């Protein structure tokens, strides 16, 4: 049902004054009524001003009973004084501001000086131009802002703030224990490394911006057009575009070289659709702007809404020469569209640069942090607070100890006369703070960055993710998010170009009882002939799947086959253009193009069309058919037909459409139908044989039973429509004809299901002969209905329905909507890894669901929840909450059970962007949707609209996340991002977004991880992504292998680093209890400096780089292992606590065993000094740490062995160098432990003490590991693997035949273009007849206009 026209009345009109007296004022036309005083007012105005108040039963009609010759317009009334914006729910994206932009955007053509004078405030008293330039800037930094902004971002990390704080403390001589520059240098290195990484990323963005802003375009300057750059475009400029060029800004289409100033565009970068769409200029500009001079003299003024992000709506007016003309979205060319099949067009720039709709949908670049990053920030705060608490306690103890010591040793009072106990405690506090600050080592963060960098290189070097066809490797564009790849819970994927290849191909058909195509056993045979004589002007034939079909078409002995191919060449809305000696087809959908190309390759070549004829070549014979009528496709009819008169004068109707609507319109079964049934039944064997060794893609589409008028689920028109009974419903009461038709349908459906299980989208083809008398009568009634002003559409549909009866089935076609390689397998693996995949697409619901079934996202045992079911579930949710919890509305969790269904049944959610918009605009919807119980249920208790909206959001998110799959259709780029934001907000989940076009940029920026596909839609998504891949299937290796390994490595790295830090350095605290709490270091200064850099860094580095629990093959074989990262099993607060206790116990054992041995004096060399004690404790702790990591490494390599060995060798080497007597003589203040290690570690007694400490520290780890092995208590990985092995059936295997859980069938018909193209053809708007080729005045001077054949369309 079309959108009702809007009413346009002046402020001083009689109606406005009359209604104003009633305390009401008029708003713009609106579908939804406003509830005032509990009643629904539905006022309609016709063109002459008659007003009516309709009852509910009358709301379906669209004409005025008072003035039946005028169309009715629905308007909405609100109380006087209420804000128009507050009551206007029209919004193209989620969470737009409630107050819509005012209609204050005024654009004057060819008048730059007018727009330059306007300014607007943007910060405090600063102003900038109101009308933005067309240059864009997606980079974060420039030369002036890089240093301060980058430092500001880096100091959002708590560790950096902590390190600066410690450095400031070390600049104070009274409390400093180490030189301040020893910490400043590593901090500077850390900040520099991160700054360089950010700089490299931003340079890439600058290059992308520069490439886009430097694209050439033709801008009107004075009286002629000049080549300039995109960045030079300003609002109000007139731009000339040529074929295959991109639209540089949002423009009002003024005129084009096509008939009726049509303009064909491709919007793949905006909504993901590759279908051809048309825009049309206003008739007045089409008529008047016929030359460059008239375009240069154009001085129109456009008044419209302020720049906004609503992609599919535009409201404005054009004022020119004293007249006002309405402008809507059908007149607008959006930035990012590609001009197709149109030689020249002219546009007036309305929104430029960041004011354009696509740029308004692009979110800002935000710094992304992983879950471990955020946890580390919190841990730094916790450790810092514990450190301060420990320092405070030790400082207090130092004060008491100083007081006691002074009282006991009064003879030393002269030494302490200037040091009071309180002062001693104060300095001790800061001394301990500095001494213990190394518990948070800066080297950990530097090693962090190195591990991230190398793991990113592993992704870049992975040959399994290298796409050799286009020479595209995987690319880790961000080096700080690798571990988060192992924790993804939700994937939000675009459809077009991400899951699919945007390629349709004709694969199979069933004609006259024979199935042709791949898998029938005949595709590999060689043709008996030497070639195809009908190939048009040397065109290469591409269809070669089944030679038998080529032979049958060439022999021309089967009349049914002849009619089948003739239908493919005649029944379509494809437009043809001659380029040299070849024909180029431009179709409204790739499905239609595939069928026409198949007919061409089989000898039936579509050559040209005019307003009332269509010419084809049948096996080399040129024939022209008279087009009597075109019965257009729409989403309700799900079919299209063409009524033609052949050269012999016979009138035939050719129809193609969905199986569910064609099969029930067949006449009684004939011989051809019987043959078709038998052949289709035999298809079971062919499919079983032909699919072995081939990738299986089950089909998909919306589940359909009967034909309905509205799929939205928000309520249909009340217009009476003919209800079509599903094909499978038969009864003996209908007679033999109906029973025969039902049996015929059952056999056909058997084949259609088999086609669909191979990702083939089916169409049924049928025809019938129409007598001259029948046509004359039908034509007369058709002409009468076409001029009706009341119920025209309904009458036309009735006539179409009447003509499309008693058809003869010609056959079935099967088109492959090609998925990218490995998409079904990838989605299956991701689902087994407990990752939910949501598809967010701008495409239509039918197409999206087809792909959903094809890629195994949707399965036949799933219950599909569409908009009606979602409304019922959410209403029931609010009812339960209102009854169970009056005090806490919305606190109950959304039930997992659909009314009337079992709770264990799988479910999938399929909704549209408009429906999503209504749900999430809770404050408006719940007050205006009379049919929703929310109007009077718990919503009334939510006084705060924002809180109430959050409750609705959470209810919807709970429902969506309870489903196994979610598909959102017709969503804008901003809606995609907001869906991701909702899941992050309400589920606290880790998200990944993947897409390939500019319409996916906002979603990619919003998700925790953004993946760009290097596809056909440009590099916009890649430039804004964190990771770039060439194929969707590489996502399984990126997540299940690299992501899981990175998470495992980082977690082990953190655990071991914290363990070794606590084990080695907590002995400083224990030593304080035996040194009078004086903050004297236990260890040599060089040991403290080198402990985390050389002595223990190498083993932990090998773990962070090379650790694996299972191989890459096993990771893909058992995707269940991935769940460990989602549940944060390997590093969390509990793990950190256990690691802390383990490190503390190691330090206690190392310290007190040595202290016990050094009570008096030990060893034959009488080694009992402080230096030897320090070396003994340090050696015990170091060896214990190294043994622990040896026990913990699962994947040993030569590098791992080398790293452990290097740690021991470096300890010996640096100990010898820093403790040599020569070094002491040179700098005794720096090298304070001369020959300490040599004296201590050469004493056998000391070596036994070290060995004892090592054994005591290792026994607990060995005991725990032995206990788990003896008791059979497996690790999480072992449990999951053993569970997976017990599965009776391989979980990743894709089978050709899937048992269907219900008899309800879905239609997968291959028909995806929009309604309206047949009307363009029959009106002649899109065609160039003889003598009316391209308007010469619109072509630039000095450039000859293209000269397609005048007998055919230019499109």
């Amino acid at each position: 049902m079309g959108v009702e026209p809007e009413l346009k009345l002046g402020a001083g009109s009689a109606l406005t004054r009359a209604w104003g007296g009633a305390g009401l004022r008029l708003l713009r036309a609106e579908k939804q009524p406003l509830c005032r005083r509990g009643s629904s007012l539905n006022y309609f105005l016709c063109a002459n001003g008659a007003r009516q108040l309709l009852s509910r039963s009358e709301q379906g009609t669209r004409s005025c009973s008072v003035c039946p010759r005028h169309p009715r317009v629905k308007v909405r009334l609100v109380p006087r004084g209420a804000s128009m914006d507050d009551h206007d729910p029209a919004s193209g994206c989620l969470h737009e501001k409630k107050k819509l932009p005012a209609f204050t955007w005024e654009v004057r053509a060819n008048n730059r000086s007018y727009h330059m004078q306007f300014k607007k405030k943007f910060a405090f008293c600063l102003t900038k131009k109101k009308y933005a330039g067309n240059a864009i800037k997606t980079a974060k930094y420039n030369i002036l802002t890089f240093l301060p902004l980058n430092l500001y971002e880096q100091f959002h990390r708590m560790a950096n703030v902590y390190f600066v704080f410690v450095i400031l403390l070390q600049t104070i001589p009274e409390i400093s224990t180490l030189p301040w520059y020893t910490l400043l240098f590593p901090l500077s290195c850390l900040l520099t490394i991160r700054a360089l990484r950010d700089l490299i990323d931003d340079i890439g963005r600058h290059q992308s911006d520069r490439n886009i802003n430097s694209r050439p375009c033709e801008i009107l300057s004075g009286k002629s057009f000049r080549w300039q750059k995109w960045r030079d475009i300003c609002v109000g400029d007139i731009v000339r575009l040529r074929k295959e060029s991109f639209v540089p800004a949002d423009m009002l289409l003024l005129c084009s070289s096509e008939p009726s100033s049509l303009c064909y565009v491709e919007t793949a970068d905006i909504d993901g659709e590759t279908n051809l769409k048309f825009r049309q200029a206003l008739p007045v500009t089409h008529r008047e702007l016929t030359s460059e001079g008239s375009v240069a003299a154009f001085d129109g003024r456009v008044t419209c809404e302020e720049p906004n992000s609503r992609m599919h709506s535009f409201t404005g007016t054009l004022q020119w020469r004293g007249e006002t003309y309405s402008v809507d979205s059908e007149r607008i060319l959006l930035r990012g569209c590609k001009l197709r099949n149109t030689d020249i067009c002219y546009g007036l720039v309305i929104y430029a640069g960041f004011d354009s709709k696509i740029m308004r949908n692009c979110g800002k670049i935000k710094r992304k942090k992983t879950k471990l990053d955020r946890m580390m920030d919190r841990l730094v705060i916790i450790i810092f607070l514990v450190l301060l608490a420990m320092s405070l306690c030790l400082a207090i103890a130092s004060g008491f100890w100083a007081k006691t010591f002074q009282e006991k040793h009064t003879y030393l009072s002269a030494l302490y006369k200037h040091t009071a106990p309180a002062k001693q405690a104060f300095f001790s506090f800061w001394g301990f703070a500095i001494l213990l600050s190394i518990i948070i080592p800066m080297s950990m963060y530097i090693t962090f960055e190195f591990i991230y960098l190398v793991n990113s290189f592993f992704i870049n070097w992975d040959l399994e993710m290298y796409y050799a066809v286009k020479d595209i490797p995987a690319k880790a564009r961000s080096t700080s998010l690798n571990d988060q790849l192992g924790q993804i819970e939700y994937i939000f994927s675009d459809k077009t170009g991400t899951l699919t290849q945007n390629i349709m191909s004709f694969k199979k058909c069933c004609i006259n009882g024979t199935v042709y195509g791949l898998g029938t056993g005949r595709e590999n045979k060689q043709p008996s002939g030497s070639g195809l004589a009908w190939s048009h002007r040397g065109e290469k034939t591409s269809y070669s799947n089944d030679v038998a079909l080529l032979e049958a078409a060439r022999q021309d002995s089967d009349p049914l086959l002849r009619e089948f191919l003739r239908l493919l060449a005649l029944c379509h809305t494809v437009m043809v253009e001659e380029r040299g000696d070849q024909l180029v087809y431009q179709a409204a959908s790739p499905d239609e193009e595939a069928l026409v190309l198949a007919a061409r390759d089989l000898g039936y070549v579509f050559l040209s069309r005019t307003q009332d004829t269509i010419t084809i070549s049948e096996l080399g014979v040129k024939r022209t058919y008279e087009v009597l009528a075109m019965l257009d496709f729409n989403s309700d009819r799900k079919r299209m037909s063409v009524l033609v008169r052949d050269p012999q004068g016979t009138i035939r109707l050719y129809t193609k459409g969905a199986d569910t609507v064609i099969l029930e319109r067949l006449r009684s079964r004939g011989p051809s139908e019987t043959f078709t049934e038998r052949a289709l039944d035999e298809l079971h064997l062919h499919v079983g044989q032909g699919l072995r060794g081939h990738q299986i893609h089950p089909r998909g589409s919306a589940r359909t039973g009967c034909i309905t008028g509205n799929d939205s689920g928000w309520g249909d028109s009340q217009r009476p429509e003919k209800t079509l009974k599903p094909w499978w419903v038969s009864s003996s009461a209908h007679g033999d004809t109906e029973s025969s038709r039902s049996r015929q349908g059952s056999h056909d459906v058997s084949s259609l299901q088999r086609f669909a299980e191979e990702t083939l989208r089916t169409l049924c083809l049928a025809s019938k002969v129409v007598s001259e008398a029948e046509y004359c009568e039908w034509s007369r009634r058709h002409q009468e209905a076409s001029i009706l002003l009341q119920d025209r559409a309904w009458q036309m549909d009735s006539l179409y329905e009447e003509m499309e009866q008693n058809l003869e089935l010609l056959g079935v076609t099967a088109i492959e909507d090609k998925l990218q390689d490995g998409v079904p397998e990838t989605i299956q693996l991701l689902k087994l890894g407990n990752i939910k995949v949501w598809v967010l697409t701008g495409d239509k619901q039918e197409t999206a669901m087809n792909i959903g079934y094809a890629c195994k996202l949707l399965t036949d045992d799933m219950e599909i929840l569409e908009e009606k079911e979602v409304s019922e579930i959410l209403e029931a949710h609010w009812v339960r909450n209102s009854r169970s919890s009056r005090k806490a509305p919305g606190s109950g969790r959304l039930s997992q059970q659909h009314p009337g269904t079992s709770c264990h049944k799988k479910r999938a959610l399929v909704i549209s962007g408009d429906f999503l918009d209504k749900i999430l605009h809770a404050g408006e919807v719940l007050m205006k949707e009379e049919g929703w119980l929310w109007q009077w249920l718990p919503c009334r208790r939510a006084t705060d609209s924002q809180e109430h909206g959050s409750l609705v959001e959470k209810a919807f998110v709970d429902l969506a996340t309870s489903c196994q799959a979610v598909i959102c259709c017709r969503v804008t780029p901003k809606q995609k991002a907001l869906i991701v934001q909702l899941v992050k907000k309400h589920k606290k989940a880790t998200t990944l977004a993947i897409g390939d076009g500019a319409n996916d940029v906002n979603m990619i920026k919003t998700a925790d991880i953004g993946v760009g596909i290097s596809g056909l839609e440009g590099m916009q998504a890649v430039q804004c992504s964190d990771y770039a891949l060439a194929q969707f299937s590489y996502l399984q290796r990126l997540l299940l292998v690299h992501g899981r390994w990175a998470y495992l490595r980082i977690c082990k790295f953190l655990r071991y680093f914290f363990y070794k830090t606590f084990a080695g350095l907590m002995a400083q605290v224990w030593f304080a209890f035996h040194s009078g709490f004086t903050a004297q270091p236990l260890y040599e200064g060089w040991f403290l400096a080198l402990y985390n850099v050389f002595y223990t860094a190498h083993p932990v580095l090998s773990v962070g780089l090379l650790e694996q629990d299972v191989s890459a093959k096993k990771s893909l074989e058992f995707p269940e292992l991935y769940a460990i990262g989602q549940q944060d099993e390997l590093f969390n607060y509990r793990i950190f606590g256990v690691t802390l206790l383990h490190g503390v116990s190691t330090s206690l054992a190392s310290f007190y065993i040595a202290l016990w041995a050094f009570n008096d004096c030990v060893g034959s060399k009488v080694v009992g000094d402080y230096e030897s004690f320090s070396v003994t404790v340090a050696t015990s702790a170091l060896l214990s740490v190294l043994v622990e990591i040896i026990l913990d490494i699962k994947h040993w390599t030569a590098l791992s062995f080398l790293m452990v060995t290097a740690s021991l060798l470096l300890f010996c080497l640096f100990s010898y160098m820093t403790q040599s007597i020569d070094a002491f003589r040179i700098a005794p203040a720096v090298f304070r432990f001369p020959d300490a290690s040599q004296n201590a570690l050469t004493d056998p007694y000391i070596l036994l003490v070290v060995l004892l400490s090592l054994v005591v520290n290792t026994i607990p780890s060995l005991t725990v590991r032995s206990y788990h092995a003896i008791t059979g208590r497996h690790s999480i990985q072992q449990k999951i693997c053993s569970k997976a092995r017990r599965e009776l059936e391989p979980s990743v295997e894709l089978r050709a035949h899937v048992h269907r859980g219900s008899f309800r069938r879905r239609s997968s018909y291959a028909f995806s273009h929009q309604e309206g193209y047949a009307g363009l053809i029959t009106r002649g708007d899109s065609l160039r007849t003889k003598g009316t080729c391209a308007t010469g005045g619109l072509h630039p001077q000095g450039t000859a206009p293209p000269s397609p054949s005048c007998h055919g369309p230019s499109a």
Side-chain angles (χ1 to χ4, degrees), residues 147-191:
L147 187 59
L149 188 57
N150 187 263
L151 288 176
Y152 172 77
E153 291 177 348
Q154 292 211 51
F155 281 104
H156 273 66
R157 295 177 182 262
M158 293 306 301
N160 293 339
V161 177
Y162 169 76
F163 292 140
V164 171
F165 174 72
V166 173
I167 290 174
L168 292 177
L169 290 180
Q170 288 193 336
T171 60
I172 304 174
E174 289 80 3
I175 61 175
S176 176
T177 57
L178 293 173
W180 60 272
Y181 51 82
T182 57
L183 280 179
L184 180 62
F185 177 73
L187 178 62
S188 301
C189 293
L190 180 63
L191 297 178

Side-chain angles (χ1 to χ4, degrees), residues 308-476:
N308 58 74
S309 59
R310 296 187 292 277
M311 299 292 299
H312 304 297
S313 67
F314 179 85
T315 304
T317 60
L318 171 64
Q319 298 178 15
W320 189 38
R321 297 179 178 176
E323 299 291 334
T324 302
Y325 307 93
S326 175
V327 178
D328 57 19
S329 59
E330 296 302 315
R331 317 289 184 186
I332 300 297
L333 301 178
L334 297 181
R335 179 187 175 113
C337 294
K338 189 174 185 180
L339 200 63
R340 296 288 302 275
N341 204 37
T342 304
D343 297 323
I344 297 290
C345 78
Y346 295 81
L348 171 65
V349 177
I350 305 296
Y351 305 128
F354 283 105
D355 288 336
S356 60
K357 291 183 178 292
I358 186 65
M359 295 306 298
R360 286 271 174 161
N361 275 274
C362 291
K364 296 181 179 179
I365 298 176
K366 301 177 181 177
R367 181 180 174 273
K368 297 182 179 181
K369 297 180 68 174
T370 66
K371 292 173 70 174
L372 288 178
D373 257 345
R374 292 189 289 269
M375 183 179 178
M376 283 298 299
D377 284 344
R378 293 189 289 268
L379 285 179
V380 167
I381 296 175
I382 293 173
I383 294 174
F384 179 64
L385 294 177
V386 172
L387 185 149
L388 291 181
M390 291 173 58
S391 300
L392 180 61
C393 294
L394 293 173
I396 294 174
S398 175
F400 280 108
W401 185 90
K403 182 180 180 181
T404 305
F405 184 83
Q406 292 178 21
E407 292 176 352
K408 186 176 181 180
H409 303 279
T410 55
Y411 55 89
L412 297 176
S413 59
L415 299 175
Y416 298 97
K417 62 180 179 179
H418 300 296
T419 305
K423 185 178 180 180
Q424 177 72 19
F426 177 78
F427 284 114
S428 296
F429 171 78
W430 296 112
F432 280 117
I434 296 174
L435 186 63
L436 299 178
S437 64
I438 54 178
I439 290 179
I440 308 177
M442 197 176 303
S443 59
M444 181 178 70
Y445 287 91
I446 298 176
T447 312
F448 236 166
E449 296 297 326
F450 184 75
I451 292 174
Y452 276 130
L453 181 63
V454 175
N455 278 307
S456 298
F457 287 149
F458 290 158
I459 294 174
N460 299 342
W461 296 336
D462 192 346
L463 294 179
E464 297 293 328
M465 296 195 295
Y466 171 69
Y467 190 51
V469 176
K470 294 185 178 180
D471 189 26
I472 301 176
K475 175 68 174 177

Side-chain angles (χ1 to χ4, degrees), residues 34 65 137 205 224 251 402 547 817 830 1242:
L34 175 71
S65 58
K137 185 179 74 68
R205 298 188 190 100
S224 62
M251 305 191 306
V547 175
D817 187 359
L830 295 175
T1242 55

Side-chain angles (χ1 to χ4, degrees), residues 91-125:
S91 178
C93 63
L94 305 182
H95 289 193
E96 280 281 334
K97 292 182 179 180
K98 291 184 179 180
K99 186 174 182 179
L100 290 178
F103 290 84
T104 58
W105 192 263
E106 185 174 320
V107 178
R108 296 188 180 184
N110 296 319
N111 193 344
R112 285 193 176 186
S113 59
Y114 172 79
H115 305 106
M116 294 291 290
Q117 63 184 339
F118 292 97
K119 306 287 184 181
K120 65 177 181 180
K121 294 182 179 180
F122 72 97
F124 302 105
C125 298

Side-chain angles (χ1 to χ4, degrees), residues 505-506 531-536 539-546 549-551 553-554 565 568-569 585 593-606 617 619:
S505 60
F506 185 86
L532 299 178
W534 56 76
S535 293
H536 181 68
E539 289 182 358
K540 186 178 180 180
T541 301
S542 60
Y543 182 76
S544 58
N545 283 338
D546 198 324
L549 181 57
L550 296 173
E551 290 291 331
R554 187 177 66 174
L565 298 176
L568 294 181
Y585 296 129
E593 184 179 10
L595 293 175
V596 174
L597 288 175
R600 183 201 68 181
D601 295 341
L602 294 169
Y604 287 71
V605 185
F606 167 48
S617 172
L619 304 179

